[in-house]
């Protein structure tokens, strides 16, 4: 079993920054992908950013140039630095870990951006 715990969400004004952190624990093997999705009220969960074990990254077009994902394999953590935040970034942000054949999810952390 794998557990994911997110932290770092909160309320910020438009143009501000937040950093999300996700710590994984439990039966973790090497070679897993990690990342972040988000879900706004009334919308489907969507990709924000993912990172491979070798630190290759992929971002949603809406966050490119503003968000940066990184990972620390020794600590089994993944970070999401969010800059130039916009009201449309308001959502619950979920951490995920892909360890074939399973995908594990955290419980989510709320990010609210006020205009």
């Amino acid at each position: 079993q794998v557990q994911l715990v997110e932290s770092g969400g909160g309320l910020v004004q438009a143009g501000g920054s937040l950093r999300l952190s996700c710590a994984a624990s439990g039966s973790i093997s090497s070679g897993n992908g990690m990342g972040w999705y988000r879900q706004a009220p009334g919308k489907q969960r969507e990709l924000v950013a993912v990172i491979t074990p070798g630190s290759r990254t992929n971002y949603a077009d809406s966050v490119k140039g503003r968000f940066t994902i990184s990972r620390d394999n020794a600590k089994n953590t993944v970070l999401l630095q969010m800059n130039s935040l916009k009201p449309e970034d308001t959502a619950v942000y979920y951490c995920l870990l892909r360890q074939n054949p399973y995908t594990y999810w955290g419980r989510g952390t709320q990010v609210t951006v006020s205009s």
Side-chain angles (χ1 to χ4, degrees):
Q1 192 66 289
V2 173
Q3 296 81 39
L4 301 173
V5 178
E6 302 104 332
S7 61
L11 173 65
V12 65
Q13 289 187 334
S17 299
L18 284 174
R19 189 175 78 162
L20 304 183
S21 178
C22 174
S25 61
S27 302
I28 300 171
S29 60
S30 60
N32 49 64
M34 299 187 76
W36 295 90
Y37 276 61
R38 67 186 181 187
Q39 187 166 18
K43 296 187 176 181
Q44 291 190 335
R45 194 172 295 190
E46 63 177 6
L47 168 74
V48 177
V50 290
I51 185 167
T52 69
S55 294
R56 292 177 62 184
T57 59
N58 186 38
Y59 294 92
D61 288 342
S62 59
V63 307
K64 283 181 181 177
R66 300 188 297 122
F67 291 10
T68 302
I69 189 170
S70 60
R71 65 186 292 166
D72 184 333
N73 291 332
K75 296 181 179 180
N76 292 319
T77 59
V78 60
L79 303 176
L80 185 68
Q81 179 65 42
M82 305 186 294
N83 298 327
S84 302
L85 282 160
K86 304 175 181 180
E88 50 263 45
D89 295 317
T90 295
V92 178
Y93 284 69
Y94 296 92
C95 174
L96 81 148
L97 183 149
R98 292 196 179 102
Q99 187 164 284
N100 288 331
Y102 304 108
T103 297
Y104 299 94
W105 294 91
R107 298 182 68 176
T109 184
Q110 177 71 45
V111 171
T112 303
V113 184
S114 63
S115 57

